[in-house]
């Protein structure tokens, strides 16, 4: 089964942008359904990033941690993360590598990477976003991990308003 690994920016931008909880409850119900079905997941580090504030998104996420919003890395994922870290430190300035490795981005990629063709990273980052920052799509491309944005995932999963 294909599993979509969501980056923190997907949740944050959805809640603060096109899908606020009060205006788009159907979107959040859809995410609930997909979590329960095991089609979407996020690593523990993404959970920590999303729950770092005391807002509605944090409360929503905390209620869904056991459903797949805080997946702990197994040995395969840890090995993939190690490969990513080694690559990042070998190819980028140390301060950029440290920033990348401190957050959840590497873990999102590692979880998807460990699943082979069944793991897909979902992010709002693009190859052109955030100049100077190590971008999720760039690292995905290095390790041949498929990446898409939220709207592509919604289409793949058949979401309709």
């Amino acid at each position: 089964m294909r599993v979509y690994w969501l980056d923190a920016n997907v949740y944050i931008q959805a809640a603060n942008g096109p899908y606020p909880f009060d205006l788009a409850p159907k979107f959040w119900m859809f995410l609930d359904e997909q979590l329960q079905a095991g089609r979407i997941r996020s690593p523990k580090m993404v959970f920590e990033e999303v729950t770092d504030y005391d807002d509605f998104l944090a409360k929503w996420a905390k209620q869904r941690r056991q459903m797949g919003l805080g997946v702990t890395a197994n040995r395969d994922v840890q090995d993939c993360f190690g490969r990513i870290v080694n690559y990042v430190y070998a190819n980028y300035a140390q301060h950029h590598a440290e920033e990348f490795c401190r957050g959840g981005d590497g873990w999102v990629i590692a979880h998807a990477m460990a699943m082979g063709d069944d793991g897909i990273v979902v992010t709002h980052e693009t190859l052109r976003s955030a100049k100077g920052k190590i971008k999720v799509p760039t690292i995905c491309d290095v390790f041949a991990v498929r990446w898409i944005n939220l709207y592509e995932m919604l289409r793949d999963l058949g979401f309709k308003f």
Side-chain angles (χ1 to χ4, degrees), residues 31-138:
L31 290 187
D32 278 340
E33 293 167 7
Q34 299 308 312
L35 280 164
Q36 289 174 12
R39 289 187 196 100
I40 66 172
R41 295 278 179 257
S42 290
K44 182 180 174 193
M45 284 294 294
V46 166
F47 174 83
E48 290 173 6
E49 289 177 15
V50 170
T51 58
D52 203 25
Y53 300 96
D54 187 27
D55 60 6
F56 200 83
L57 176 59
K59 291 175 186 143
W60 180 86
K62 286 175 184 175
Q63 294 170 350
R64 287 150 182 85
R65 182 174 187 172
Q66 299 307 314
M67 294 168 56
L69 271 181
V71 179
T72 303
N74 63 22
R75 184 58 147 163
D76 290 339
V77 173
Q78 290 172 6
D79 290 345
C80 290
F81 184 73
R83 291 176 52 205
I84 292 166
V85 168
N86 289 338
Y87 175 83
V88 166
Y89 274 97
N91 291 281
Y92 292 93
Q94 183 170 346
H95 67 282
H96 289 303
E98 287 172 358
E99 179 184 350
F100 181 83
C101 294
R102 213 176 13 247
D105 291 350
W107 290 107
V108 172
I109 299 166
H111 277 274
M113 189 170 145
M115 293 188 72
D117 290 340
D118 289 330
I120 301 170
V121 170
V122 182
T123 183
H124 278 301
E125 288 186 17
T126 66
L127 292 171
R128 298 176 129 164
S129 61
K131 195 168 192 143
K133 179 182 183 287
I134 300 172
K135 297 161 190 74
V136 169
T138 302

